[in-house]
Amino acid sequence: MTWLGRESRTRPGGALQAFAFLGALAVLPVVMGRHWQVNLLVFTLMYAGLASAWNLVGGYAGYAALGHGAFFGIGAYAMAIGTTHLGVGTGYRPFLLVLPIAVGTALAVVPIARLLLRTRAATFAVLSITVMFMVQTFAYNIRSLTHGSQGIAVPVPPFPFTTFERPFYYAMAILLALTVAVCWAVRSSQLGLALNAVRDDEDRARGLGVQTELVKLIAFSLSAGLTAAFGAVWAYYISYVFPGFAIDPLLSLGAILMAFLGGRHTLWGPVVGAALIVPAQQYFAYRYGASHLYLIAYAALFLIVIYLLPDGILPSTTQRLNRLRTRSRARTTPDLLPMEALNPRGESE
Amino acid sequence: MSALLAVEGLTKTFGGIVALDQCSFEIAPGSLAALIGPNGSGKTTAFNVITGYQPADAGRLSFGGRVVRRPDPCRLQRLGMARTFQQARVFPGLSVLENVVLAHHQPWHALLRRRVSVTDRRRAEDLLGEFGLAAHSHVPAGMLSYGQRKLLEFASVLMGEPTLILLDEPTAGVNPVMVDTIEHHIRRCHGEGVSFLIVEHEMSFVMRLCDPVIVLDRGRPIACGAPQEVQNDRSVLDAYLGD
Ligand SMILES: Nc1ncnc2c1ncn2[C@@H]1O[C@H](COP(=O)(O)OP(=O)(O)O)[C@@H](O)[C@H]1O
Ligand SMILES: [Mg+2]
């Protein structure tokens, strides 16, 4: 069993994983080229990105943010307003707005994030969802900008009919790749270590000199900016924004469920979760009509994940592998950890 | 010589309970001081207020010769004050090595550096070696036994190179062999110039290790001096034996 020893923990597969992922993203719409297929892919990638972006705050820092729909909506409205009022034009040009929208949102949320992040746990969750409804109320009421409940129609781009979805697919693919890259960079830096420490025991982290306020703020700001970028592309794709639709609590709930299912402490967990849930959801919607029945499935899935896979699919699988490994090693080396070792998160105080 | 740590008139109440009542004492640089007292006499509260975990209702704190207004755990750590908790606290989801690496102060832009840099790893591994935890460095800290967690908490605090360490009941819930190990590490660090303030209920441990000993009763120091003096003090005996 030496070949599975500790040294192999520094995984050589990182670059390989990245290339495989990018390759898959590049060819998918060619292999699955029908309209409904590419449409499904667009939403799958969008949710994979939203779940990954949420994971920066919800998974790495352990802050239960429930209101990311606000930032998605801000991105969507910024795109709609940019293309209609500012005369950016049509075709590929609106895509140029995505980056400024992401950066703008990331900066604009700083003051509100500072207030939000002073609270924790349930208070934070409730406040974050309150912020989302505030943004929705603004969208309904600042008519001069948002046209209120009428919504804004975004001009439909003159892309060829046969490959109409492709530009949106590739925009989502680039954003997803960027989001995963950001997550990877965060995880492998001291920022990620500090965020994980905040997740485990924020007060003790402060006492060890971790600048908890700063690291939480950075994570929140990155997360909000990336979420807004997906909202912007979504608005152009759907070509219509409306407050109840663009700023939707179910959007963040779906993304959170995907992160939980795949594994919120992992890099790829949210992507895996989205790849499983989005197609399933679309299938059910197609089979049983576009009702809200899928919400029951959401609830059921949440319960299953929390009771059976508390850490999600990816960690549970690797944990099982590790346990097998530890067991086989324990047989050869008697002097190992005490039995309580099998509870990886420890008896929490 | 000016004190390393000085508290003056520290007061803290919880509802009707006065946990700290006009509490004043000083710790000289290089001391290995003990803070003892009956259960509920305010020792942990004193630590919480001094390290900025709880705001005081009144009082003044100075550390390293300067007055600290509105103490904050992060800032105090950066000034050289570190603490452990009565109930050992580690980051269960981080590896043992990461638990140690985390604890050294760095400028904000270090956040962009690698999660565990080569130099940090080396220093942390040295520390873990001294504490006999090197074999577990890649294991999640949540897997350690309670005694090992106490050691890990102590080791991680040292990574920040503090000048004063506040230990809250370092021997509580730990087996006798581990108590000796902890005593050894306290002596070793003290020999290297680190000052200590130790809350401890195990009297033999305090008597053989610490000087001076400060006795707290109902949130107020009632005696301070060498272990023998304090042991024979009338008011201390009264406090421990009850009125
Ligand atoms: N967070 C708190 N809320 C309410 N009362 C507290 C709190 N912390 C401590 N106390 C009270 O303050 C007093 C001192 O407690 P503590 O400092 O923990 O004593 P010690 O550590 O000396 O045993 C006790 O009466 C305790 O019940
Ligand atoms: Mg106590």
Side-chain angles (χ1 to χ4, degrees):
Chain A
M1 284 286 138
T2 44
W3 57 279
L4 274 176
R6 182 143 295 145
E7 289 67 36
S8 67
R9 288 177 68 100
T10 53
R11 299 168 315 141
L16 213 67
Q17 276 176 16
F19 279 120
F21 184 59
L22 289 177
L25 284 184
V27 300
L28 265 176
V30 183
V31 184
M32 300 172 60
R34 304 211 185 150
H35 286 296
W36 70 268
Q37 289 173 327
V38 184
N39 180 54
L40 178 61
L41 286 172
V42 169
F43 281 103
T44 307
L45 297 198
M46 181 181 94
Y47 270 104
L50 290 173
S52 299
W54 176 84
N55 207 25
L56 286 166
V57 175
Y60 301 171
Y63 266 71
L66 297 180
H68 270 41
F71 314 125
F72 185 85
I74 288 172
Y77 267 97
M79 175 60 96
I81 293 165
T83 46
T84 51
H85 291 330
L86 299 183
V88 174
T90 185
Y92 291 102
R93 296 183 59 191
F95 287 121
L96 297 177
L97 285 178
V98 174
L99 191 63
I101 286 173
V103 175
T105 308
L107 294 177
V109 300
V110 167
I112 192 90
R114 285 188 63 157
L115 287 178
L116 275 180
L117 290 167
R118 294 221 180 127
T119 64
R120 294 189 192 172
T123 318
F124 176 82
V126 171
L127 277 184
S128 67
I129 207 161
T130 309
V131 167
M132 190 198 68
F133 283 114
M134 264 166 55
V135 172
Q136 197 184 52
T137 308
F138 283 135
Y140 273 118
N141 290 298
I142 311 179
R143 295 234 169 74
S144 58
L145 208 59
T146 64
H147 302 183
S149 52
Q150 240 189 329
I152 307 175
V154 180
V156 179
F159 296 144
F161 176 74
T162 46
T163 57
F164 180 82
E165 294 89 356
R166 278 218 190 153
F168 300 103
Y169 171 87
Y170 283 110
M172 290 291 188
I174 291 168
L175 280 184
L176 173 60
L178 176 72
T179 306
V180 173
V182 168
C183 289
W184 174 82
V186 168
R187 291 171 67 84
S188 44
S189 68
Q190 283 191 21
L191 175 61
L193 183 59
L195 288 170
N196 291 162
V198 165
R199 176 196 68 201
D200 279 5
D201 187 342
E202 180 167 352
D203 285 326
R204 176 151 190 268
R206 278 202 304 153
L208 292 177
V210 176
Q211 291 160 306
T212 52
E213 247 110 77
L214 178 67
V215 298
K216 287 188 295 181
L217 195 60
I218 295 173
F220 196 97
S221 172
L222 284 174
S223 179
L226 288 166
T227 302
F230 285 100
V233 175
W234 172 85
Y236 193 30
Y237 181 50
I238 295 291
S239 73
Y240 177 66
V241 292
F242 161 78
F245 193 35
I247 306 161
D248 183 358
L250 289 175
L251 183 109
S252 13
L253 231 49
I256 294 167
L257 176 57
M258 291 162 204
F260 266 69
L261 177 66
R264 66 195 186 284
H265 302 308
T266 65
L267 179 64
W268 294 107
V271 178
V272 170
L276 291 174
I277 291 180
V278 179
Q281 185 184 317
Q282 297 277 317
Y283 174 78
F284 280 116
Y286 166 76
R287 242 356 247 282
Y288 303 108
S291 67
H292 275 94
L293 268 182
Y294 72 93
L295 286 178
I296 297 170
Y298 264 25
L301 201 52
F302 247 125
L303 290 177
I304 290 171
V305 170
I306 282 162
Y307 282 106
L308 299 182
L309 299 168
D311 281 334
I313 292 175
L314 286 188
S316 297
T317 325
T318 37
Q319 232 168 59
R320 218 154 284 155
L321 281 176
N322 280 340
R323 207 167 297 171
L324 285 178
R325 236 182 267 173
T326 317
R327 222 173 277 160
S328 63
R329 228 189 301 154
R331 250 180 259 130
T332 50
T333 46
D335 175 23
L336 216 80
L337 294 170
M339 272 321 283
E340 61 187 287
L342 290 181
N343 176 9
R345 313 220 81 204
E347 332 90 336
S348 48
E349 281 91 9
Chain B
M1 188 141 125
S2 77
L4 175 62
L5 173 75
V7 297
E8 236 183 272
L10 227 48
T11 301
K12 176 78 187 171
T13 54
F14 296 105
I17 300 167
V18 182
L20 287 178
D21 183 12
Q22 296 282 329
C23 177
S24 306
F25 60 82
E26 291 191 351
I27 306 292
S31 10
L32 214 172
L35 184 64
I36 64 170
N39 265 334
S41 56
K43 306 177 298 285
T44 298
T45 305
F47 271 23
N48 285 341
V49 168
I50 291 170
T51 51
Y53 277 95
Q54 289 174 345
D57 300 335
R60 241 163 63 112
L61 169 76
S62 60
F63 178 62
R66 62 170 120 172
V67 176
V68 183
R69 269 176 248 286
R70 293 203 293 140
D72 166 80
C74 179
R75 208 156 55 84
L76 282 166
Q77 193 270 354
R78 281 157 190 262
L79 292 175
M81 187 196 291
R83 77 170 289 186
T84 64
F85 291 85
Q86 186 167 347
Q87 196 74 31
R89 275 158 82 165
V90 297
F91 302 103
L94 301 186
S95 75
V96 168
L97 185 85
E98 287 173 338
N99 262 272
V100 178
V101 166
L102 188 75
H104 65 321
H105 40 219
Q106 296 210 333
W108 68 269
H109 49 81
L111 289 174
L112 303 174
R113 286 199 216 129
R114 271 175 61 182
R115 190 170 170 113
V116 179
S117 74
V118 179
T119 43
D120 289 351
R121 173 186 298 275
R122 216 167 279 150
R123 266 192 64 207
E125 276 172 351
D126 285 348
L127 261 174
L128 288 173
E130 283 167 17
F131 280 80
L133 291 170
H136 307 304
S137 55
H138 293 284
V139 168
M143 285 187 167
L144 297 180
S145 71
Y146 187 71
Q148 286 173 324
R149 283 188 222 182
K150 282 227 134 164
L151 284 183
L152 175 58
E153 194 186 20
F154 193 172
S156 62
V157 151
L158 290 177
M159 188 78 173
E161 299 183 329
T163 49
L164 174 67
I165 301 179
L166 289 78
L167 300 176
D168 198 350
E169 308 222 3
T171 73
V174 159
N175 71 46
V177 180
M178 202 66 102
V179 171
D180 289 343
T181 315
I182 288 172
E183 184 181 337
H184 161 79
H185 287 298
I186 294 174
R187 285 188 195 281
R188 190 176 51 79
C189 296
H190 184 243
E192 286 165 13
V194 181
S195 308
F196 282 89
L197 177 60
I198 302 174
V199 164
E200 186 50 69
H201 62 226
E202 171 61 35
M203 278 312 137
S204 60
F205 185 84
V206 170
M207 294 305 158
R208 67 174 182 264
L209 192 66
C210 302
D211 187 6
V213 175
I214 302 166
V215 187
L216 218 57
D217 183 37
R218 281 174 257 172
R220 209 185 245 280
I222 54 168
C224 174
Q228 290 77 20
E229 285 170 44
V230 165
Q231 228 166 356
N232 300 321
D233 191 298
R234 187 75 238 161
S235 57
V236 174
L237 290 175
D238 284 348
Y240 269 94
L241 298 175
D243 308 7

